[in-house]
Amino acid sequence: MPATPATSATPAPKTFRVKSFGCQMNVYDGERMAELLGAEGMTAAADGQEADLVVLNTCHIREKATEKVYSDIGRLRRNDGTAPLIAVAGCVAQAEGEEIMARAPSVKVVVGPQAYHRLPAMVADAVAGKRGTETDMPAEAKFAALPKRRKSAPTAFLTVQEGCDKFCTYCVVPYTRGAEISRPFADLVEEAKLLVAGGAREITLLGQNVNAWVGSDAKGCNIGLDGLIRTLAADPDLQRIRYTTSHPNDMTDGLIAAHGEVDKLMPFLHLPVQAGNDRVLKAMNRSHTADSYLKLLDRIRTANPDIALSGDFIVGFPGETDAEFEDTLRLVDAVGYAQAFSFKYSPRPGTPAATMADHVPAPVMDERLQRLQAALNRDQLAFNKASVGKTCQVLVERRGKLAGQLLGKSPWLQSVHFMGDAEIGQIVTVELVDAGPNSIAGHII
Ligand code: SAH
Ligand code: SF4
Ligand code: F3S
């Protein structure tokens, strides 16, 4: 019997746009979703062109991020009341999938971070008039179902570990990303090889707790992240390795030693501390103290005195007093961060901290954040100024706005701009000549 063509509720999308918010892992996931859709014959919409399918790859870490999703959905509505096919992916999809489906009829697909390999099939269902939500958790199935990597920018992300078992009391990640899993060693070596063959010169290994990665190497020996880094460093075409984000408790002796021994491992470490007061750290369930964190930094600096440090901070955790906040400022003074991120505490639904007593009033949080950021900006500028006069390797990532200008990163993850003649993806020697708070001017040598 001849098949009856189904009447489509929506025309099949030919073009797509993936908009990623939040952390680098979402950037990685967004790239993989684009590759999946590309494998189905769709093409990425050009800048300024409306896409037939829009994937909002969302973040749930703080309040405003969720509100942004709803306003983005609203903004996609056209003047005639229609909208492109909208898929909501990422951590808001995981946490609030049902609510989004109920609240936003223009959303046809809701897909969580561990289920996005199902995106093409779900888009096909939506075209046939069927809205769908997929928020299953096992991450292994996802990676096996993704297409092989092909092209890469000079700097690439590679997710090696996902999920979190730490359950810091303020944080949604253990609920949105699920339990800690490590991707198998052989899969990572293969993906890294393909990225390098596709043009990557620097790979940043990603994980919510990247330094909790464990695996067994080609000989069947158990290894940690340092073992993986040493293996990847043996590829002559891979020039630089970074990793993020690390938890202080998972900084093993081997990983610390690698910072002194593996030349390709860049001298930069993002190691969030969150606060400088031990009572607050305990209430956050951070399982390190200010002192144990500082001692850990001493060991890391002993292994590599050249290392630049970065961190994350939360001000105004429930019950944080003025005196306790002062401890955070003291810790910042003691460390001298090269850069850092700082946030006002944001209560997240379902987390233990959200129902704790003594929430800090908004104006107090504002003032604390301003003081903290002033201290962090001061240190960042000082770090950048101290780089002036140094000569370093810069990986050329792209052209700047000015004719002949090139942009790249120093080993210490500073943005460097300089005039010169070099290819994108080339490593050049640059003398750093002038520093601002957010970038450094250099001369190519
Ligand atoms: N896995 C990483 C990063 C998690 S999210 C880690 O453990 O460090 C990135 C940062 O967002 C956190 O380090 C924390 O500083 C911040 N953050 C997480 N939950 C938050 C909340 N409820 N309110 C404010 N900031 C938060
Ligand atoms: Fe969140 Fe803490 Fe896990 Fe980081 S370690 S993802 S802050 S629960
Ligand atoms: Fe946001 Fe999810 Fe990353 S909540 S920070 S996108 S893990």
Side-chain angles (χ1 to χ4, degrees):
M1 214 170 43
T4 326
T7 33
S8 303
T10 320
K14 293 194 181 70
T15 59
F16 68 85
R17 174 166 294 122
V18 181
K19 289 180 72 178
S20 292
F21 306 92
C23 62
Q24 284 120 323
M25 193 167 299
N26 256 16
V27 174
Y28 174 89
D29 292 342
E31 284 171 7
R32 303 308 315 258
M33 283 187 250
E35 289 165 1
L36 274 167
L37 297 172
E40 296 292 309
M42 285 177 239
T43 51
D47 283 348
Q49 186 200 351
E50 198 196 76
D52 302 331
L53 164 66
V54 176
V55 182
L56 298 173
N57 187 23
T58 60
C59 171
H60 199 235
I61 203 83
R62 282 169 290 274
E63 208 116 45
K64 279 194 199 121
T66 314
E67 287 319 305
K68 197 168 166 8
V69 178
Y70 285 108
S71 68
D72 279 347
I73 293 169
R75 220 172 305 125
L76 287 169
R77 203 177 306 122
R78 305 178 185 112
N79 289 338
D80 65 0
T82 61
L85 207 168
I86 303 174
V88 177
C91 290
V92 179
Q94 188 68 38
E96 295 182 27
E98 300 298 328
E99 204 186 318
I100 296 169
M101 273 298 187
R103 221 174 113 177
S106 58
V107 173
K108 306 296 182 205
V109 173
V110 166
V111 64
Q114 308 304 8
Y116 64 73
H117 56 292
R118 300 262 308 118
L119 182 63
M122 296 178 79
V123 168
D125 285 349
V127 167
K130 199 169 132 231
R131 298 170 85 204
T133 302
E134 192 88 55
T135 46
D136 277 356
M137 276 293 195
E140 294 88 345
K142 170 181 76 182
F143 289 109
L146 297 177
K148 296 235 181 284
R149 309 306 304 262
R150 297 162 85 111
K151 267 181 82 77
S152 171
T155 58
F157 289 136
L158 172 52
T159 293
V160 304
Q161 181 280 341
E162 272 206 70
C164 183
D165 298 338
K166 302 284 191 290
F167 290 93
C168 302
T169 52
Y170 49 81
C171 183
V172 288
V173 171
Y175 312 97
T176 62
R177 290 275 168 173
E180 279 180 14
I181 65 116
S182 294
R183 291 182 64 195
F185 173 80
D187 294 8
L188 298 173
V189 172
E190 191 205 359
E191 189 168 331
K193 246 194 203 107
L194 292 172
L195 286 169
V196 172
R201 292 295 164 264
E202 172 181 297
I203 292 182
T204 301
L205 308 177
L206 297 182
Q208 268 88 32
N209 274 296
V210 69
N211 54 345
W213 183 87
V214 285
S216 55
D217 67 9
K219 292 191 200 113
C221 297
N222 291 340
I223 54 168
L225 189 69
D226 53 310
L228 179 64
I229 289 169
R230 286 174 197 273
T231 304
L232 299 181
D235 181 339
D237 293 323
L238 180 61
Q239 307 288 338
R240 293 175 153 195
I241 300 170
R242 302 180 186 274
Y243 62 94
T244 199
T245 295
S246 298
H247 192 286
N249 281 19
D250 294 318
M251 282 310 293
T252 60
D253 291 345
L255 188 54
I256 294 172
H259 274 285
E261 293 165 5
V262 182
D263 288 344
K264 289 181 184 177
L265 180 58
M266 290 295 101
F268 183 92
L269 179 62
H270 181 66
L271 196 64
V273 64
Q274 313 298 355
N277 174 270
D278 290 347
R279 191 203 63 81
V280 173
L281 286 169
K282 191 148 192 259
M284 288 177 162
N285 193 29
R286 283 297 289 183
S287 65
H288 57 77
T289 62
D291 189 53
S292 70
Y293 177 83
L294 291 172
K295 290 209 166 91
L296 175 61
L297 295 190
D298 282 345
R299 286 167 55 216
I300 295 164
R301 280 179 159 149
T302 303
N304 185 349
D306 187 38
I307 203 154
L309 293 165
S310 161
D312 288 344
F313 293 89
I314 295 176
V315 301
F317 185 80
E320 185 188 63
T321 65
D322 284 337
E324 288 169 342
F325 169 67
E326 297 292 332
D327 286 342
T328 298
L329 292 178
R330 256 190 289 279
L331 180 133
V332 166
D333 289 348
V335 173
Y337 286 96
Q339 59 167 67
F341 301 95
S342 46
F343 312 99
K344 284 186 271 187
Y345 168 73
S346 168
R348 308 311 293 130
T351 60
T355 51
M356 285 178 184
D358 300 326
H359 278 252
V360 174
V364 176
M365 281 211 254
D366 286 337
E367 202 232 308
R368 287 183 192 167
L369 188 68
Q370 270 181 27
R371 289 183 62 200
L372 175 60
Q373 290 188 339
L376 293 170
N377 290 343
R378 169 203 71 200
D379 290 350
Q380 183 170 323
L381 183 62
F383 182 82
N384 287 347
K385 292 238 184 260
S387 309
V388 171
K390 284 188 188 169
T391 296
C392 69
Q393 306 287 94
V394 173
L395 171 59
V396 182
E397 291 177 25
R398 55 200 167 87
R399 294 185 197 291
K401 286 204 186 93
L402 306 175
Q405 190 184 44
L406 295 170
L407 307 178
K409 296 273 180 351
S410 76
W412 310 281
L413 207 65
Q414 297 150 301
S415 296
V416 180
H417 55 92
F418 55 96
M419 294 296 183
D421 194 19
E423 301 294 315
I424 307 295
Q426 201 181 327
I427 300 235
V428 292
T429 305
V430 172
E431 185 191 351
L432 306 177
V433 293
D434 194 17
N438 298 312
S439 66
I440 305 212
H443 283 319
I444 194 162
I445 293 185

